[in-house]
RNA sequence: GGGCCCGUGGCAUAGACUGGUUAUUGCGCCGCUCUGAUAAGGCGGAUGUCCGGAGUUCAAAUCUCCGCGGGCCCA
């Protein structure tokens, strides 16, 4: 019976991961962890909500890996954490998908369908994808308080049938009963547990608290402004949304047209625009006051445009006069659509005016800008400055309003052509030309945006003071949210990478007032009640306050979540005029929903003690594109409004995940990798390591090639070491003991010292939020472990037990060491690769010690004592590894394969202490390089050339500007003499500018060249000189090794067990036979042969023929009878 | 127009804060080689104006400035 479960070196990691998931579930490993840490110091992680609107992608996997990494790491360090995932539930993105599913074309279809059912479907969609994302996250190994997916599915189904049905579901401390709608609204709250959902009643009502608090300070206001608008979605698109995805490179026909001047018959202004629909609402034309304009005669007419845009004209023309823009101010002209009632009613028809504006330029157009204050933000601003009329042409669906004659009722996106035709008929068109520009589109439905004059609700950010932050006074901050937020950012937050802080501050310095309303359906019901009589508005801070003030409709609303349409029924009495106030129909931006979670999920309103314990969060982490203006901003804003405190201490951010070809992932481009597919093909340990290994601030190129690299360079080497250990430990019946062997070899001590170094560095790098540096440390350690420690220790594990006490002691030391390394690694790697580390823990630790933690994730984080890292030993081994490397290079140059033993290698090294290392490690070097003797190169007798290399780092720092002269003086020395002295550890003198200076051995590198007869390789001052002459004995030994190699090959291909004994028969050329006969003991030892017989025709169970060089070998092996 | 980040072989990257004369690693390519832990590994080779220019310095991929190009964010 084996102590450890046998570990095949080939394993299906994916199947294994699924087994681990099952193990965690069966043993309730996560629940146990929480119980174990219940008394621990708190470490508060606040999850940024994922939009529960689609299955999760591999980019979510990246972020979730970090989140899980840190929670696991902190838990192993003994911390108690909250483990609450968040789902973002409300907002346009959910609406758009439900609309699409239902085949709706716009708001009209929704209203016809009915708000009540539409809202229910939005809720259902969220529940459906929350369950899906939870399932995927669990596959990733992400330990969180996931909701019971069956419960979510049940609520989803019942919500569709009857939201008022009373149900009982399992809660944290027992069953919870309520209507389906009520239960859905209480998801994530203490009695139900699980993820927080931003559509929860708690979340919505806590936002009410905030908005009231803002209102009390006079920060909430209704603003009339021209904002980007999506006619299809029927909503304004805020500054927060329009950037990034919000622009498209589009080509539109642009038009240049005439504005005939009133007092100058036959003369016109020439004006250019890309948005002809806005001409319907033209009020003025703007010129640059200091720009030069020209009066141009062309054919029978006179045109005005700026001098720098004359190239706009087609055909011949004659410049008659030049004037400044300021001289045109006040001219009047006839607008292109003066016949429309809207133009007439506003009084501008026949009386359009020329104004000056310093933003007018000559890059595009004619230097004369058409101004339509109802159709553009800057135009609207100008109207306020110049007292211009404002004509707003569009409905919220993007249709022309009444008053626009034939245009009325037409969609703004289809009027371009008819307007062109109309203008042409009127003789106003000068030219039409395609024009390509970046044009804003709706980030959800891709419809081209227009600009529309609307009333929206804002939170005032406070004035932008044109002074640096440190000069802002306390008094100025007092009623200024902008500077209050900046204050908490500067004083209380740390950003990784550090430039994040500057970006956030930049956003805060520049952002305009926060537009919080949306003219939509599914979202936070803005708690603003407005009086239709006197226009007064009030902000309600809680459900209780609303009930108290309700004068109508409470009965309709009661029992429902605070969403449309039910909340709209509630009316309150106007505190100014006693009339009834109705809620404004707008819903809130989803960033309010996400921003409140530092309060709502930490029970700010319901359990202040709990909140104090967990607020502020120790860490938040999200991908940075977008979040500076979105989640980071809204979290900061809300926490500042309520408490004037930062909601988090550390922010860990990372860049964007793209496909392996460096482009964004797109299904149609064929470079998309779905999460489920990736998990099934590469496995999530590999995926997680790939993520952790990446420098967070760089875009990550994700794909199967890089995943393969991870598997080859990290996972398989790790697994092979583990597999090797278990295989041999089982063969030897080795069991772990409490005490480590005292007789550790140099290699053992070294790998343990390295291990401790790794523990320290991984801990440090995780704590400084540089996980990629932590993984790099591990990568290099695993390389050392696999390719050096184990390769050089293999024979120690092979050694026959009982041969001698010395062998047994050494062997035990090797087992002790490797066991310790692997057990420690399983813990150190647990937060990164939770699956493979669990497998190792179960087999290495749990199987031999039933008292050990049931899961690796219950273990304590490894620590290392201050003296556990032997820096001297580590650097010694580093030198040995370098010598090995150039030793291999010297063999390679001589073209002698490693299997062929050679008589001798001699090394030249720089310093005294290094020479000593060569002799101390000569055994290792000898074995690795397959030579009979390792020695130092005789620097007097065997060196033909010396070169001195003054080391700039040492000498430069010491002598500064004198370095070049000193360098020259050193190079002028007699190299042989100086080298001999330096290598003997003595200093040499040089004279520079009359000063005699002592040059120390460590300040000069001595490069030597070995004389003829060696095969040499060098790196820096290190030289390997190999003696390549072969004696017959050496040749025979080489052949014997060739022979062994073939036997092993045959053993392996015959699928014999490692410890199966065999009988060998062979036939071979004379030379090989002689070699075999003279190395019989070596061969039988290596191949576990009980007999080794030469035969004319070898007979055995397994046979093979080999040729190597000029030699031929027939082999037959048979497993020996036991 | 403003802020932040970045520019290193064919591709992808480390190094930059703290300057040091042979620029790291991986993928890919070529040759050799090792292996009863290894789906691997090792050694060597080809592939570099470290975006360009100027400056600081004994010394610049690294620091400063200017330019060019890209990304993110804002206007």
């Amino acid at each position: 019976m084996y102590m450890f479960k046998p570990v095949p070196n080939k394993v299906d990691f994916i199947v294994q991961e699924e087994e681990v998931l099952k193990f965690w579930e069966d043993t309730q490993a996560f629940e146990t962890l929480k119980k174990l840490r219940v008394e621990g110091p708190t470490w508060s992680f606040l999850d940024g909500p994922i939009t529960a609107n689609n299955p999760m992608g591999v980019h979510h996997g990246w972020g979730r890996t970090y989140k899980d990494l840190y929670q696991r790491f902190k838990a192993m360090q003994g911390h108690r954490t909250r483990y609450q995932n968040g789902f973002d539930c409300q907002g346009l993105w959910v609406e758009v998908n439900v609309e699409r599913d239902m085949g709706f074309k716009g708001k009209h279809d929704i209203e016809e369908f009915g708000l009540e059912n539409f809202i229910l479907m939005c809720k259902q969609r969220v529940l459906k994808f929350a369950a899906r994302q939870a399932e995927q996250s669990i596959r990733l190994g992400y330990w969180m308080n996931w909701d019971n997916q069956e419960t979510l599915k049940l609520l989803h189904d019942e919500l569709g049938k009857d939201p008022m049905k009373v149900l009982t579901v399992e809660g944290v401390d027992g069953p919870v009963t309520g209507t389906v709608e009520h239960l859905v609204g209480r998801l994530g709250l203490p009695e139900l547990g699980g993820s927080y959902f931003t559509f929860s009643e708690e979340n919505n009502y806590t936002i009410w608290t905030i908005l009231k608090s803002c209102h009390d300070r006079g920060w909430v206001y209704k603003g009339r402004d021209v904002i980007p608008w999506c006619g299809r979605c029927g909503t304004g698109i805020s500054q927060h949304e329009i950037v990034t995805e919000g622009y498209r490179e589009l080509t539109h026909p642009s038009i240049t047209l005439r504005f005939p001047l009133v007092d100058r018959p036959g003369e016109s202004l020439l004006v250019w625009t890309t948005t002809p629909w806005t001409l319907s609402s033209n009020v003025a034309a703007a010129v640059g006051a200091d720009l030069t304009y020209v009066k141009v005669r062309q054919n029978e007419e006179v045109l005005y445009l700026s001098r720098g845009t004359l190239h706009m004209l087609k055909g011949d023309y004659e410049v008659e006069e030049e004037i400044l823009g300021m001289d045109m101010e006040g001219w009047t002209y006839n607008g292109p659509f003066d016949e429309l009632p809207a133009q007439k009613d506003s009084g501008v028809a026949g009386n359009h005016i020329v104004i000056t504006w310093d933003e007018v330029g000559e890059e595009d157009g004619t230097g004369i800008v058409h101004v339509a204050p109802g159709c553009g933000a800057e135009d609207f601003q100008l109207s306020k400055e110049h007292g211009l009329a404002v004509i707003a042409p569009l409905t919220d669906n993007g249709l022309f309003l009444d008053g626009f004659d034939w245009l009325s009722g037409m969609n703004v996106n289809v009027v371009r052509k008819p307007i062109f035709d109309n203008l042409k008929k009127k003789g106003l068109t000068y030219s039409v030309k395609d024009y390509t520009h970046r044009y804003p589109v709706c980030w959800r439905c891709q419809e081209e945006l227009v600009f529309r004059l609307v009333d929206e609700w804002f939170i005032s950010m406070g004035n932008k003071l044109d002074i640096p932050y440190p000069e802002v006074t306390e008094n100025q901050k007092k009623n200024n949210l902008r500077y209050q937020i900046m204050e908490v950012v500067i004083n209380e937050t740390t950003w990784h990478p550090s430039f994040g802080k500057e970006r956030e501050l930049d956003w805060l310095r520049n952002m305009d007032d926060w537009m919080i309303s949306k003219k939509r359906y599914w979202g936070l019901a803005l708690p603003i009640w407005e009086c239709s009589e006197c226009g007064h508005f009030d902000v309600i801070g809680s459900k209780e306050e609303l009930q108290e003030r309700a004068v109508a409709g409470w009965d309709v609303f009661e029992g429902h979540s605070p969403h449309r349409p039910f909340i709209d029924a509630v009316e309150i009495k106007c505190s100014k005029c006693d009339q009834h106030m109705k809620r404004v129909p707008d819903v809130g931006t989803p960033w309010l929903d996400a921003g409140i979670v530092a309060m709502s999920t930490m029970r700010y309103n319901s359990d202040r003690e709990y909140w104090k314990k967990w607020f502020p969060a120790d860490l938040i982490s999200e991908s940075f594109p977008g979040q500076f203006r979105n989640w980071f901003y809204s979290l900061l804003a809300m926490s500042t409004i309520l408490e004037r405190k930062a909601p988090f201490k550390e922010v860990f951010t990372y860049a964007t995940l793209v496909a392996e070809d460096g482009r964004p992932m797109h299904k149609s481009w064929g470079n998309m990798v779905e999460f489920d597919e990736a998990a099934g093909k590469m496995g999530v340990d590999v995926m997680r390591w790939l993520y952790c290994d990446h420098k967070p601030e760089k875009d990550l190129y994700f794909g199967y090639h890089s995943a393969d690299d991870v598997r080859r360079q990290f996972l398989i080497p790790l697994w092979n070491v583990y597999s090797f250990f278990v295989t041999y430990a089982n063969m030897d019946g080795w069991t772990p003991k409490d005490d480590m062997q005292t007789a550790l070899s140099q290699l053992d001590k070294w790998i343990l010292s390295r291990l401790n170094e790794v523990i320290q560095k991984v801990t440090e790098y995780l704590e400084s939020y540089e996980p990629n540096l932590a993984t790099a440390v591990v990568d290099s350690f695993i390389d050392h472990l696999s390719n050096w420690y184990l390769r050089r220790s293999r024979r120690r594990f092979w050694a026959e037990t009982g041969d001698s006490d010395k062998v047994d002691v050494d062997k035990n030391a090797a087992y002790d060491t490797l066991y310790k390394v692997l057990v420690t690694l399983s813990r150190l790697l647990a937060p990164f690769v939770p699956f493979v580390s669990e497998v190792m823990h179960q087999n290495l630790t749990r199987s031999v010690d039933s008292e050990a933690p049931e899961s690796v994730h219950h273990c304590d984080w490894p620590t290392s004592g201050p003296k556990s890292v032997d820096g001297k030993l580590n650097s010694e081994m580093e030198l040995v590894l370098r010598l090995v490397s150039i030793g291999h290079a010297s063999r390679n140059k001589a073209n002698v394969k490693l299997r062929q033993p050679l008589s001798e290698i001699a090394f030249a090294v720089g310093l005294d202490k290094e020479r000593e290392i060569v002799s101390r490690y000569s055994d290792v070097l000898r074995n690795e390089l397959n030579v009979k003797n390792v020695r130092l190169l005789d620097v007097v007798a065997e060196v033909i050339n010396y070169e001195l290399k003054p080391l700039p780092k040492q000498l430069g720092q010491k002598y500064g500007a004198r370095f070049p002269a000193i360098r020259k003086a050193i190079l002028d020395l007699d190299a042989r003499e100086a080298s001999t002295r330096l290598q003997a550890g003595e200093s040499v003198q040089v004279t520079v500018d009359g000063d005699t200076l002592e040059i120390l051995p460590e300040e000069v590198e001595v490069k030597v060249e070995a004389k003829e007869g060696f095969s040499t390789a060098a790196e820096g001052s290190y030289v390997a000189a190999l003696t390549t002459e072969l004696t017959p004995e050496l040749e025979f030994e080489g052949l014997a090794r060739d022979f062994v190699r073939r036997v092993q090959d045959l053993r392996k291909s015959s699928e014999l067990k490692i410890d199966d004994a065999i009988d060998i028969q062979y036939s071979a050329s004379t030379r090989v036979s002689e070699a075999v006969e003279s190395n019989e003991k070596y061969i039988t030892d290596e191949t576990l042969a009980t007999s080794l017989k030469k035969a004319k025709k070898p007979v055995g169970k397994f046979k093979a023929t080999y040729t190597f060089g000029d030699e031929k070998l027939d082999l037959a092996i048979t497993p020996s009878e036991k």
Side-chain angles (χ1 to χ4, degrees), chain A residues 101-121:
Chain A
D101 291 349
M102 298 296 290
F104 291 168
K105 298 262 184 305
K107 283 168 96 170
H108 179 73
D109 291 341
I110 298 173
E111 306 226 343
E112 199 155 89
F113 177 73
L115 273 195
E116 183 181 346
N117 285 328
F118 183 72
I119 298 303
L120 281 178
M121 291 179 77

Side-chain angles (χ1 to χ4, degrees), chain A residues 901-905 926 929-934 1034 1037:
Chain A
L902 292 171
S903 60
E904 192 169 73
I905 194 163
R926 206 172 62 224
L929 296 170
N930 196 18
V931 292
K932 297 293 169 191
N933 189 34
V934 170
L1034 290 172
E1037 267 187 55

Side-chain angles (χ1 to χ4, degrees), chain A residues 601-701:
Chain A
T601 71
M602 296 188 189
R603 309 181 192 174
Y604 182 74
N605 275 348
S606 60
D607 183 352
R608 199 56 70 91
E609 283 312 305
Y610 181 90
W611 179 80
K612 280 185 184 154
K613 190 168 173 183
W614 294 100
F615 179 98
D618 288 285
L619 176 71
I620 64 167
S621 169
E622 295 300 322
S623 157
F624 55 65
Q627 299 304 340
F628 293 99
R629 65 175 192 273
N630 289 330
W631 194 52
F632 301 156
Y633 163 73
S634 61
L635 266 185
L636 285 161
M638 297 191 133
S639 170
T640 306
I641 290 165
L642 284 183
E643 290 288 329
R644 227 173 144 172
K645 277 187 190 150
F648 49 78
K649 295 177 187 161
E650 312 262 352
V651 194
F652 176 80
T653 62
Y654 49 94
T656 306
L657 185 146
V658 294
E660 210 159 27
D661 57 11
R663 302 186 302 165
M665 285 190 177
H666 266 285
K667 272 191 187 130
S668 57
W669 292 348
N671 61 2
M672 181 86 181
V673 181
E674 306 279 1
F675 176 84
D676 295 347
E677 177 200 301
K681 281 192 184 162
M682 65 178 73
V684 294
D685 272 343
V686 164
M687 205 192 296
R688 291 173 63 120
W689 192 260
L690 188 158
Y691 291 140
C692 294
D693 207 25
H694 184 77
K695 193 172 180 173
E697 66 216 69
K698 289 226 174 190
D699 286 350
L700 187 152
Y701 288 32

Side-chain angles (χ1 to χ4, degrees), chain A residues 7 9 11 13 686 689 707-725 778-788 790 818 821-822 825 829 836 840:
Chain A
V7 176
N9 58 34
V11 63
F13 288 107
V686 164
W689 192 260
D708 258 353
D709 290 350
V710 171
R711 202 175 60 223
R712 279 214 320 274
Q713 280 159 31
F714 166 71
L715 192 57
I716 287 172
L718 172 69
W719 187 261
N720 285 327
V721 176
Y722 163 63
S723 161
F724 174 93
F725 169 82
V778 173
D779 279 332
S780 126
F781 178 75
I782 287 185
D783 182 51
H784 277 158
L785 177 65
S786 165
N787 284 320
W788 188 242
L790 194 55
L818 190 52
V821 168
L822 287 169
L825 269 184
L829 293 176
V836 72
M840 289 169 65

Side-chain angles (χ1 to χ4, degrees), chain A residues 87 134 145-150 152 187-188 192-197:
Chain A
F87 289 114
N145 288 324
W146 298 111
D147 302 81
N148 183 322
Q149 288 160 55
E150 293 312 312
L152 292 183
L187 284 170
L192 279 175
S195 301
Y196 70 79
F197 287 70

Side-chain angles (χ1 to χ4, degrees), chain A residues 1011-1029:
Chain A
K1011 65 176 188 185
E1012 296 264 335
F1014 295 106
S1015 172
T1016 62
E1019 190 201 333
S1021 57
Y1022 304 107
V1023 179
L1026 188 68
T1027 307
T1028 54
E1029 284 86 33

